[in-house]
Structure formats: C-alpha cells, structure tokens
Amino acid sequence: NAGVMQNPRHLVRRRGQEARLRCSPVKGHSHVYWYRQLPEEGLKFMVYLQKENIIDESGMPKERFSAEFPKEGPSILRIQQVVRGDSAAYFCASSPMLSDEQYFGPGTRLTVT
Amino acid sequence: KQEVTQIPAALSVPEGENLVLNCSFTDSAIYNLQWFRQDPGKGLTSLLLIQSSQREQTSGRLNASLDKSSGRSTLYIAASQPGDSATYLCAVSLGGSNYKLTFGKGTLLTVNP
C-alpha cells in the first residue's frame, strides 16, 4: 500500500508568487492534517480537513494561506504571495479515523528567494 | 497551552551503547504520545505510540515509557547502531482527540561506529 504522498518534494518560488502543495493521503484515509516545520523550530499544526470540509484551521495564518480537500483528488495547501518567512518544510499526515495514529508524508520543502 | 520539551537537543554516543531520550510536556491531559524518527531531508517515521492509559510500549530495541502524572516520557534505545542516527521527535495529542499533535524540537542522535 502506498503511504502518504506529497508533491512536489522541493519547490522554489520567488517572493510574490503562489505555492501549491499537494498531498494524497493513504488510500481509505479521510482525515488530513498539515504541519509546518520552520528552520530550527518544531513541527506546528496548521489545519485539519476531512473530505470537502475544513474542520480546524486554527494553526494556519489568516492571510495568504488556504487549504482544501476536495471530494476527488489530493488535498491542496495554497500559499499566495509568498514571502521569505514561508520557507519551511510542509508535512501532510492522514489517518483513517480521527482518533487513529497519523501517518506522515515525506514533506515539501519550500524555498522562497 | 501545551508545550513539549526534549532533552538533550543533541547526543553523540559510540556504537553499542544503550541510551535514553527524554520528553516532557506541560499539560498532563493528553490523549496519546508518539515518538517519531526523522532522517535529514526526509519525512517522519512513527516509532511508537502510547495511549494515555498505557505505561509503556516496546518495538524491537526501542522501549517508550509514559508517566502522565509527571508529564514525562522516555525513549530507550538498546545496543545503538550507526543506522539509528537521526532526529527523534516526541509529540502529544491535545485533549481527547488525536489531531493537533504538539511536537518537541527533537533530539539529534549520532551513533559513531
């Protein structure tokens, strides 16, 4: 079985551009979580989604960041008008049920130049 | 607000040594605690998950213990090998659900041959 897949693995954007990060959860998992790991920082929760619904976005910056998990296709984390401070590793995790163990993907490393 | 601290930040040991990594958390009302391994530039691999009602979990050369009342967990690695070199992360879930994992900053372990 394929685990959580994220693409691209590395993404370079210039300031002001948009970044789109994709996450395909483990087959059969309907719960998706995004975390961000800033340099020298621990992973921080950003957002929790179920199919077609954002359940908790309390960790996501109010501006420029958005997330979706459509009925068909991967979950998308979108960052508009990126700034240097957005440079980080973004990890996606999935679980079959809310109370289950989370399985993490390999991450997308975003570099803003 | 839940905070997770890992000590030491870095540890270097010769091959074959037994070692202990420490994790402490400020709010004892956790649902579960997970230990992860992160290799450079890679994603997270779940090592052990301890439910709040459990005291310890074992997998091969790894043993994790949990003391909720004191807000502490330890990860014991027996007979360390160079392949164990990685960053070890501790994470706790907030409240009664499993999303919003709160991570420590990790312990960077180097096992020298």
Side-chain angles (χ1 to χ4, degrees):
Chain A
N1 284 333
V4 176
M5 303 184 69
Q6 292 187 248
N7 64 81
R9 294 289 306 278
H10 300 274
L11 182 61
V12 179
R13 284 287 179 265
R14 291 181 177 166
R15 280 184 299 171
Q17 291 184 320
E18 178 179 290
R20 278 182 170 245
L21 288 62
R22 287 177 289 278
C23 167
S24 296
V26 174
K27 188 176 181 180
H29 288 193
S30 58
H31 302 258
V32 167
Y33 319 82
W34 285 91
Y35 293 83
R36 178 167 68 172
Q37 186 175 35
L38 292 164
E40 308 304 322
E41 295 287 329
L43 278 84
K44 304 284 188 192
F45 167 82
M46 297 182 74
V47 61
Y48 159 50
L49 310 100
Q50 291 183 31
K51 280 289 187 180
E52 300 184 271
N53 290 301
I54 297 175
I55 307 302
D56 181 353
E57 54 183 349
S58 61
M60 201 157 66
K62 296 280 190 287
E63 298 179 354
R64 301 187 297 108
F65 285 72
S66 63
E68 63 179 17
F69 189 17
K71 186 176 180 181
E72 301 291 337
S75 175
I76 305 287
L77 179 67
R78 187 168 76 151
I79 311 172
Q80 295 178 293
Q81 300 175 333
V82 296
V83 300
R84 288 218 173 100
D86 297 332
S87 295
Y90 292 81
F91 292 94
C92 169
S94 73
S95 67
M97 301 290 287
L98 178 61
S99 59
D100 287 344
E101 181 177 353
Q102 294 179 25
Y103 295 83
F104 280 77
T108 293
R109 278 148 185 85
L110 172 66
T111 301
V112 180
T113 61
Chain B
K1 179 187 173 185
Q2 180 74 274
E3 292 183 1
V4 179
T5 303
Q6 292 188 244
I7 296 173
L11 180 64
S12 181
V13 300
E15 182 177 2
E17 269 205 8
N18 302 324
L19 59 98
V20 174
L21 307 181
N22 297 291
C23 171
S24 61
F25 44 94
T26 54
D27 187 343
S28 62
I30 64 169
Y31 184 73
N32 61 34
L33 181 145
Q34 283 183 263
W35 283 94
F36 294 89
R37 168 185 174 139
Q38 184 176 26
D39 292 282
K42 301 289 179 62
L44 279 67
T45 301
S46 180
L47 298 173
L48 291 164
L49 181 149
I50 311 178
Q51 301 287 353
S52 60
S53 58
Q54 298 175 318
R55 298 281 297 189
E56 65 178 329
Q57 281 285 345
T58 298
S59 176
R61 295 182 292 108
L62 306 179
N63 176 277
S65 67
L66 174 64
D67 184 342
K68 270 187 61 175
S69 60
S70 67
R72 293 179 183 175
S73 175
T74 60
L75 179 66
Y76 175 82
I77 303 177
S80 58
Q81 303 170 358
D84 295 330
S85 299
T87 296
Y88 290 80
L89 300 170
C90 168
V92 299
S93 64
L94 298 175
S97 58
N98 193 32
Y99 68 95
K100 283 189 183 177
L101 290 176
T102 300
F103 284 83
K105 292 185 179 182
T107 294
L108 175 60
L109 173 66
T110 302
V111 180
N112 301 300

